[in-house]
Amino acid sequence: MGKNDGFLLYERKNNGDIPPLKRTENFKEFHTYLDDEERRKQAARCMNCGVPMCQSAIKLAGMVTGCPLHNFIPEWNDALYKGQYDMAAWRLLKTSSFPEFTGRVCPALCEKACNCGNGGDIKEAVTIHDNELYIIEKAFESGYMKPQIPKVRSDKKIAVIGSGPAGLAVADLLNRRGHNVTVYEREDRIGGLLMYGIPNMKLDKKIIDRRVNLMKAEGVTFITNADVGNTVAADTILNEYDAVALCCGAKKARPLNAPGADAEGVMFAVDFLKSVTKSLVNSNLKDGQFFNPEGKNVIVVGGGDTGNDCTGTSIRLGAASVTQLEMMPCPPVERQPDNPWPQWPKVLKTDYGAEESIEKFGHDPRVYKTTIKEVYQNEGKVCGVKTVQVEFRMVDGKRTLCEIEGSEKDLPADLILIAAGFLGCEDYTAQAFGTELSVRNTVQTENCSYATAVDKVFTAGDMHRGQSLVVWAIAEGRECAREIDEYLMGYSNI
């Protein structure tokens, strides 16, 4: 513990943000960073608790709190406070494959479990998320992040299908183990969800390319435009490789079940975000290969992170208005007595998209306890919607979502983006390998492991656990890699 009274001397100070109206002029990352001295003060606030809940990843009241990667948070906070930047990076990278990703997009489960916030005020927690990002960016800046090429190679070949966070984590650890790893990606760029699912202002695509180039230098082979189970035969993969890891995500989007939802201008959020980012990275938004919301009334169905990304993206592209519909009631502003620390705090979060909408349009875009009852069409195109308020009631002993009578309301709409979650993985790749799917449409595995019932076929990430966080995908990828190594070599020692 670098400074035993740091949590008493220094107040929490977050990284800053470029003002909303300024940052919506482009798709660049919009955070500003503390200087070295201030960042070390923030690290000094870590108490090195006897029981560091931040790295626990325990499930309480149905939700996980603490880091799924079990990062050595007190250790690298201590090294950061002392200015031992290489030591901090070394300890961070022991458990975290890609801190530059989680340091940008993770909702910081670690901070919600931090003992500094155990009075219920999460604003007092250590800035673990920002400290993590500082450490890894310092490591890249200083030259610490050099290719780590295995000195000895095995004769084993592994195919990783999908290059999202889970697939990259599998590839990274198995390559470091000395195996020969090839990653197959159906899109034109490596990164999966990281590349085309997360907008550039949250995760600059140059950051992904930087890591991929490092992995290439370390010996990982990447093949793009390879749709395994479609343009690339699963049998070919099975014949050529000693093990296969299916890491294709959970991209089957939940549809909008409302009359008129087949209208032009109704699209899945994942398709919208992908098309915008693809245009951005390939031609700076000038190719018109996406549904442009400029001057249009946009309705986003879903109040989660993807919905928020749609709001921020639409504002940057010049939408005339953005309304975000959420079926659930508005969470409380303060933590409630029945939601004590260290449970995940069920409180209202106003993310960047909502902040930008409030600044631009003068009101919060989110409308709670509301969904679309009907989509209005004009010559096959969206021209408006009928919304209705909803609430959960007990009907015949079951908790049922019911409409509130007389709450219908018409809203103008030119573009409807469905961000209502996902229904598991897309079936065709899993079926091509002969794996079974669960009732949640995820790839089924044997005995709480990552191995499927098909010999030498494994799975990890959202394809295995369902729609989740980047940090969980990385954690699953690392565990899956250990299991594959054990399968190939007879023991696990990653």
Side-chain angles (χ1 to χ4, degrees):
M1 186 172 182
K3 193 169 184 62
N4 56 16
D5 57 353
F7 66 100
L8 298 172
L9 294 176
Y10 308 123
E11 293 184 355
R12 177 184 169 105
K13 189 172 183 180
N14 297 318
N15 285 335
D17 292 334
I18 295 172
L21 293 183
K22 182 67 177 176
R23 71 191 189 219
T24 53
E25 294 175 357
N26 55 60
F27 280 82
K28 297 178 181 178
E29 290 187 4
F30 53 84
H31 299 297
T32 59
Y33 301 102
L34 305 181
D35 59 27
D36 291 1
E37 181 180 357
E38 188 58 49
R39 178 54 58 205
R40 289 173 62 185
K41 287 181 181 178
Q42 293 303 305
R45 297 186 67 244
C46 182
M47 299 188 292
N48 194 10
C49 314
V51 182
M53 300 293 291
C54 57
Q55 57 193 53
S56 62
I58 57 174
K59 196 170 186 179
L60 299 172
M63 302 182 77
V64 171
T65 185
C67 180
L69 290 168
H70 306 295
N71 284 335
F72 303 140
I73 294 167
E75 292 187 35
W76 44 256
N77 271 328
D78 175 69
L80 174 54
Y81 166 69
K82 294 175 179 176
Q84 299 170 341
Y85 302 125
D86 287 357
M87 172 68 78
W90 176 60
R91 298 310 288 161
L92 174 59
L93 291 164
K94 273 288 184 182
T95 55
S96 179
S97 298
F98 314 116
E100 68 271 33
F101 301 156
T102 51
R104 286 174 164 83
V105 304
C106 185
L109 285 74
C110 51
E111 292 188 15
K112 309 310 183 288
C114 175
N115 271 317
C116 276
N118 68 9
D121 186 357
I122 58 174
K123 296 176 183 177
E124 293 302 316
V126 174
T127 57
I128 303 169
H129 179 271
D130 291 350
N131 292 358
E132 173 186 14
L133 181 58
Y134 176 91
I135 290 169
I136 189 62
E137 289 302 325
K138 193 78 170 179
F140 273 106
E141 177 188 320
S142 68
Y144 179 85
M145 295 297 292
K146 295 182 175 68
Q148 302 295 316
I149 303 171
K151 295 180 180 179
V152 178
R153 287 283 181 185
S154 75
D155 61 350
K156 306 299 183 181
K157 295 171 61 181
I158 300 102
V160 178
I161 317 302
S163 69
L168 290 178
V170 172
D172 181 55
L173 260 71
L174 287 175
N175 178 70
R176 291 175 186 273
R177 188 71 176 137
H179 301 307
N180 303 286
V181 184
T182 301
V183 179
Y184 290 83
E185 169 57 52
R186 72 178 178 180
E187 297 293 346
D188 60 339
R189 290 173 181 261
I190 297 298
L193 164 76
L194 300 167
M195 178 58 69
Y196 287 138
I198 299 174
N200 197 76
M201 57 274 195
K202 282 177 69 174
L203 176 58
D204 193 307
K205 306 314 163 188
K206 294 176 183 176
I207 301 300
I208 303 169
D209 292 340
R210 180 179 66 182
R211 174 60 72 165
V212 170
N213 288 335
L214 182 63
M215 292 177 68
K216 286 179 179 178
E218 292 174 335
V220 179
T221 299
F222 292 95
I223 301 176
T224 56
N225 298 306
D227 193 357
V228 177
N230 185 9
T231 60
V232 178
D235 286 345
T236 301
I237 299 292
L238 287 169
N239 289 333
E240 291 183 3
Y241 293 90
D242 300 295
V244 179
L246 303 180
C247 305
C248 303
K251 297 179 180 177
K252 182 180 284 187
R254 189 186 306 276
L256 176 63
N257 294 316
D262 59 343
E264 181 182 341
V266 178
M267 63 189 305
F268 290 120
V270 65
D271 295 331
F272 172 70
L273 295 172
K274 171 186 168 182
S275 64
V276 172
T277 301
K278 185 171 279 192
S279 293
L280 178 68
V281 298
N282 289 335
S283 57
N284 199 26
L285 297 177
K286 293 181 180 178
D287 61 3
Q289 298 299 309
F290 61 93
F291 198 112
N292 195 340
E294 184 177 4
K296 294 180 171 59
N297 297 302
V298 179
I299 291 185
V300 180
V301 182
D305 288 342
T306 303
N308 178 72
D309 291 338
C310 287
T311 296
T313 298
S314 297
I315 290 173
R316 281 164 175 75
L317 293 171
S321 70
V322 181
T323 303
Q324 196 172 341
L325 305 181
E326 168 59 71
M327 289 195 303
M328 301 302 291
C330 180
V333 176
E334 300 291 337
R335 189 193 283 269
Q336 299 300 292
D338 62 352
N339 177 215
W341 180 90
Q343 290 181 10
W344 177 266
K346 300 174 185 178
V347 296
L348 180 65
K349 180 179 76 168
T350 302
D351 213 332
Y352 75 98
E355 289 178 350
E356 292 161 3
S357 185
I358 292 169
E359 192 73 19
K360 185 173 180 63
F361 301 118
H363 60 84
D364 195 315
R366 296 168 292 184
V367 180
Y368 295 94
K369 298 175 63 176
T370 302
T371 190
I372 292 178
K373 187 172 184 177
E374 183 179 352
V375 177
Y376 299 134
Q377 300 185 15
N378 181 18
E379 297 182 350
K381 298 181 179 180
V382 173
C383 63
V385 297
K386 176 186 287 186
T387 66
V388 63
Q389 291 184 335
V390 292
E391 64 182 4
F392 283 98
R393 301 174 190 156
M394 295 303 294
V395 178
D396 297 329
K398 295 182 179 179
R399 190 168 180 261
T400 306
L401 187 67
C402 303
E403 294 184 3
I404 298 176
E405 187 177 351
S407 65
E408 290 89 350
K409 183 178 180 181
D410 288 347
L411 294 176
D414 306 296
L415 174 62
I416 299 174
L417 301 175
I418 308 169
F422 296 85
L423 299 173
C425 68
E426 294 170 294
D427 305 14
Y428 70 96
T429 303
Q431 291 173 349
F433 284 93
T435 60
E436 294 182 10
L437 297 177
S438 70
V439 293
R440 297 174 58 241
N441 218 55
T442 56
V443 175
Q444 206 151 311
T445 53
E446 302 284 296
N447 302 320
C448 299
S449 71
Y450 296 89
T452 71
V454 179
D455 183 41
K456 74 180 183 182
V457 178
F458 299 76
T459 187
D462 289 2
M463 197 174 193
H464 176 230
R465 67 180 289 117
Q467 179 192 7
S468 191
L469 303 172
V470 168
V471 68
W472 271 114
I474 295 172
E476 286 230 338
R478 292 174 64 90
E479 290 300 317
C480 181
R482 290 184 174 93
E483 200 164 307
I484 291 173
D485 183 67
E486 182 178 25
Y487 167 80
L488 294 173
M489 307 300 289
Y491 59 90
S492 180
N493 190 29
I494 299 181

